[in-house]
């Protein structure tokens, strides 16, 4: 009997001990010193900017913070200056014993000039883009030679008979010569990441008495967007914040080259629930080009300006913030509503996701400016690329509107646009770490 009671008491003690341990584990994160300790990151990235020291959380009066190799100069117990760029360490210690090590990557200070200008964009495709099929009235009935050759919408024709095709005008002489000689065309095309070779037999159109291939093709695309930034030293720029896709195929346009010009906003079609708004603008590529386009990527269009351009608001180089530095709360955007005048408007960063690798849609922003809401309803097409500024730093660009809520949309972090523009942000520190 005593044995049974002892076993029962032992089980109760084990149960109570387990409950107490569970309560302790759950309570630990809420104990202030432990909570402070857990909030300290294992690694931080900062810029070599004398006006902005590196700030670290304090752990208490008895805990000091030091730089073992002297690469960081202390201002006080929680603020430091970096003496040089590269990878450094800070150590939390108490009574000479180390408590926590924090790896610090110090990058060269990067400053870019904010944009906000409305721009006209023209892209010339790599080869010619197939955007549709059509039937030809031949003596054997209606035929589409292109479709019969299994050439698909979205394919890019790179070569005909071994010669490169750069624009639509290059295609017609091949078609006429092949049709008259009654010989097929040797076609090399690109489909996604695959290169394909096929043959195509031109057919004579009975009505027009010309040889046709039954394909609708395009060699360029045009539209408007917003300049995001440019590097004052190299004049490399970034704009739009998202890829330009063909309106018919909905596939990203692979470009041969392109150019940008200034555009004049003439009116705005206001956005509503379920219907995005749009800027209406006029521009001409006969005007003086302000820059070229060398890249059309998921993070925007990129190239080099012919000379520095002004937004009339803030033409001085501005520091940038990395994704982990972006805070929820007030911010500004620069964009054009009328003519070529760049204006500043209030927005709110609703959320921001720290990103270690390039990714789109890193932020959600909401328009809070009454004037902008009254005139546009929120974010409209053509506003893509408008720079987002917070606490005197450029943090990203507007990219997409929420169709069901035009007051809000996505933004991309500026560091990914900078890297696409050839401005290396983290490369130096990463190379030193690898070494």
């Amino acid at each position: 009997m005593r044995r049974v009671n002892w076993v029962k008491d032992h089980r109760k003690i084990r149960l109570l001990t387990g409950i107490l341990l569970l309560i302790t584990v759950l309570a630990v994160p809420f104990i202030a010193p432990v909570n402070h300790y857990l909030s300290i990151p294992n690694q931080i990235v900062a810029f070599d900017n004398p006006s902005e020291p590196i700030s670290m959380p304090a752990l208490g009066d008895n805990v000091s913070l030091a730089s073992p190799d002297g690469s960081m100069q202390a201002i006080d117990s929680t603020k430091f200056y970096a003496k040089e760029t590269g990878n450094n360490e800070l150590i939390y210690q108490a009574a000479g014993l180390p408590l926590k090590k924090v790896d610090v990557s110090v990058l060269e200070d990067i400053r870019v000039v904010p944009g906000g200008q409305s721009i006209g964009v023209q892209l010339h495709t790599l080869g010619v883009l197939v955007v549709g099929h059509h039937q030809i009235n031949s003596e054997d009935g209606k035929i589409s030679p292109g479709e019969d050759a299994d050439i698909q919408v979205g394919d890019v024709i790179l070569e005909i008979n071994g010669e490169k095709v750069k624009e639509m005008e290059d295609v017609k002489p091949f078609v006429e010569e092949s049709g008259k000689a009654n010989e097929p065309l040797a076609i090399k095309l690109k489909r996604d990441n695959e290169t394909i070779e096929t043959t195509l037999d031109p057919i004579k159109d009975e009505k027009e008495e010309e040889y046709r291939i039954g394909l609708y093709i395009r060699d360029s695309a045009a539209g408007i967007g917003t300049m995001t930034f440019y590097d004052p030293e190299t004049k490399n720029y970034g704009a739009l914040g998202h890829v330009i896709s063909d309106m018919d195929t909905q596939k990203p346009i692979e470009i041969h080259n392109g150019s940008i010009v200034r555009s004049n906003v003439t009116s705005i079609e206001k956005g509503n629930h379920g219907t995005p708004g749009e800027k209406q603008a006029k521009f001409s590529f006969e005007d003086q080009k302000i820059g070229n386009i060398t890249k059309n990527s998921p993070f925007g269009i990129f190239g080099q300006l012919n000379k520095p351009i002004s937004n009339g608001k803030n033409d001085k180089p501005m520091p940038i913030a990395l994704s982990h530095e972006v805070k929820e709360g007030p911010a500004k955007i620069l964009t054009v509503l009328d003519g070529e005048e760049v204006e500043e408007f209030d927005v709110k960063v609703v959320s921001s996701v720290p990103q270690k690798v390039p990714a789109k849609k890193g932020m959600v922003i909401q328009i809070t400016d009454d004037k902008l809401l009254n005139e546009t309803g929120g974010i409209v097409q053509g506003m893509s690329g408008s720079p987002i500024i917070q606490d005197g730093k450029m943090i990203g660009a507007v990219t997409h509107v929420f169709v069901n809520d035009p007051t809000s949309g996505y933004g991309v972090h500026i560091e990914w646009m900078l890297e696409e523009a050839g401005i290396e942000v983290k490369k130096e520190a990463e190379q030193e770490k690898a070494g």
Side-chain angles (χ1 to χ4, degrees):
M1 186 67 179
R2 288 180 182 176
R3 168 89 178 167
V4 173
N5 289 337
W6 181 84
V7 170
K8 287 183 178 179
D9 290 342
H10 185 65
R11 286 177 178 172
K12 286 181 181 179
I13 292 170
R14 289 178 61 188
L15 178 62
L16 289 171
T17 303
I19 292 171
L20 287 172
L21 285 172
L22 178 61
I23 292 171
T24 302
V25 170
L26 293 174
V28 161
F30 300 99
I31 300 172
V34 177
N35 196 27
H36 288 161
Y37 180 87
L38 294 175
S39 70
I40 298 170
N42 294 319
Q43 182 179 22
I44 62 170
V45 180
F47 288 103
D48 184 14
N49 184 351
S51 64
E52 290 194 11
I54 299 168
S55 296
M56 301 294 295
L59 272 185
D61 296 335
N62 298 323
V63 179
S64 62
L65 189 58
S67 172
D69 59 0
S71 60
M72 310 286 286
Q73 180 178 349
I75 303 171
D76 56 33
S77 60
T78 60
K79 292 183 180 178
F80 293 79
Y81 282 126
K83 292 182 179 179
E84 57 188 17
T85 59
N87 291 288
N88 309 294
E89 291 181 354
L90 287 171
I91 305 289
Y92 284 90
Q93 54 190 17
L97 298 175
L99 298 179
K100 186 177 179 71
K101 182 186 78 168
V102 180
D103 294 322
V104 182
S105 294
V106 181
L107 312 177
E108 272 190 39
D109 191 31
I110 295 175
R111 292 172 181 255
V112 293
V113 180
Q117 302 91 340
S118 182
I119 55 172
V121 177
Q122 185 177 48
L123 299 178
H124 296 283
T125 62
L126 177 71
V128 294
L129 178 66
V130 177
V131 298
H133 302 104
H134 68 91
Q135 301 289 315
I136 298 167
N137 294 308
S138 72
E139 58 183 15
D140 297 321
K142 291 188 175 182
I143 301 173
S144 173
E147 199 166 5
D148 291 344
D150 193 32
I151 298 176
Q152 301 176 12
V153 172
D155 288 350
V156 178
I157 298 175
L158 302 173
E159 294 181 10
I160 298 179
N161 292 346
E163 302 214 13
K164 289 186 178 180
V165 175
K166 295 182 179 179
E167 53 189 28
M168 291 192 296
E169 284 73 15
D170 295 340
V171 176
K172 189 173 182 178
F174 287 112
V175 175
E176 286 294 321
E177 184 179 341
S178 173
K180 290 175 180 177
N182 195 27
E183 293 180 352
L185 295 169
I187 306 288
K188 180 185 283 188
L189 55 87
K190 186 175 183 182
R191 181 176 299 158
D192 297 323
N193 295 319
E194 184 181 5
T195 301
I196 297 171
E197 294 185 1
T198 186
T199 57
L200 187 156
D201 292 294
I203 299 293
K204 191 171 188 178
D205 190 299
E206 293 295 304
K207 290 184 178 180
E208 300 180 14
E209 295 188 350
E210 289 188 354
Y211 288 96
R212 306 289 190 195
I213 56 176
L215 296 173
Y216 290 114
I217 57 176
R218 183 182 294 140
D219 62 7
S220 63
I224 67 164
T226 302
M227 177 68 66
T228 306
F229 68 87
Y230 75 89
D231 179 354
E233 294 184 8
T234 63
K235 295 195 287 292
N236 290 352
Y237 76 85
L240 267 66
H242 64 76
V243 72
I244 298 179
S245 297
D246 181 77
M247 60 184 295
D248 291 310
T249 67
Q250 301 303 310
K251 291 185 177 181
I253 297 175
E254 291 195 55
I255 68 167
H256 170 60
N257 58 42
S259 56
I260 56 173
V261 297
R262 291 186 178 276
S263 75
N264 189 299
V265 177
T266 55
S267 63
I268 292 178
E269 186 178 324
K270 196 171 181 178
N272 294 299
H273 181 81
T275 307
E278 184 178 5
K279 287 184 182 182
Q280 304 291 337
K282 61 181 181 180
F283 58 90
S284 172
F285 287 102
E286 301 302 317
D287 296 339
Q288 184 177 7
K289 294 175 174 57
I290 62 174
N292 63 9
I293 301 173
T294 58
K295 185 186 293 187
N296 177 33
S297 89
F299 299 97
I301 58 169
F302 302 89
Q304 190 174 54
L305 297 176
N306 296 331
K307 61 181 181 179
I309 58 175
S310 171
N311 62 20
K313 272 291 179 189
N314 189 336
D315 293 326
K316 293 182 179 179
M318 177 179 290
I320 68 162
L322 300 176
S323 62
H324 71 273
E325 298 177 294
V326 178
K327 300 175 292 187
E328 295 178 3
K332 305 276 187 182
I333 65 168
L334 298 175
T335 200
V336 176
L337 296 187
D338 183 47
E340 295 184 22
E341 181 187 0
V342 177
E343 299 181 72
E344 188 178 73
F345 300 101
D346 293 322
V347 300
K348 177 184 177 182
V349 178
V350 177
S351 66
S352 176
V353 180
Q355 297 168 322
K356 293 185 178 180
V357 295
K360 301 175 287 184
K361 301 179 180 179
M363 287 179 279
V364 173
I365 65 165
Q366 182 180 44
I367 305 298
T368 58
D369 195 284
D370 289 337
K371 179 182 177 182
L372 190 56
L373 289 170
N374 289 334
E375 296 198 25
T376 67
I379 300 171
V380 296
Q381 294 176 13
M383 199 179 284
S384 298
S386 298
I388 309 170
I389 297 168
Q390 186 180 67
D391 297 333
K393 295 182 179 181
M394 191 178 301
I395 64 173
V398 178
T399 59
H400 294 83
V401 62
F402 295 161
V403 176
N404 293 324
D405 178 14
T407 67
S408 302
Y410 286 115
V412 62
H413 287 124
I414 193 64
E415 58 192 289
W416 312 133
M417 292 188 69
L418 290 172
E419 291 190 3
E420 291 288 318
I423 304 170
E424 299 291 350
V425 178
K426 299 181 180 178
K427 185 175 181 180
E428 180 180 339
E430 287 173 353
Q431 284 180 341
E432 285 194 26
K433 188 174 182 180

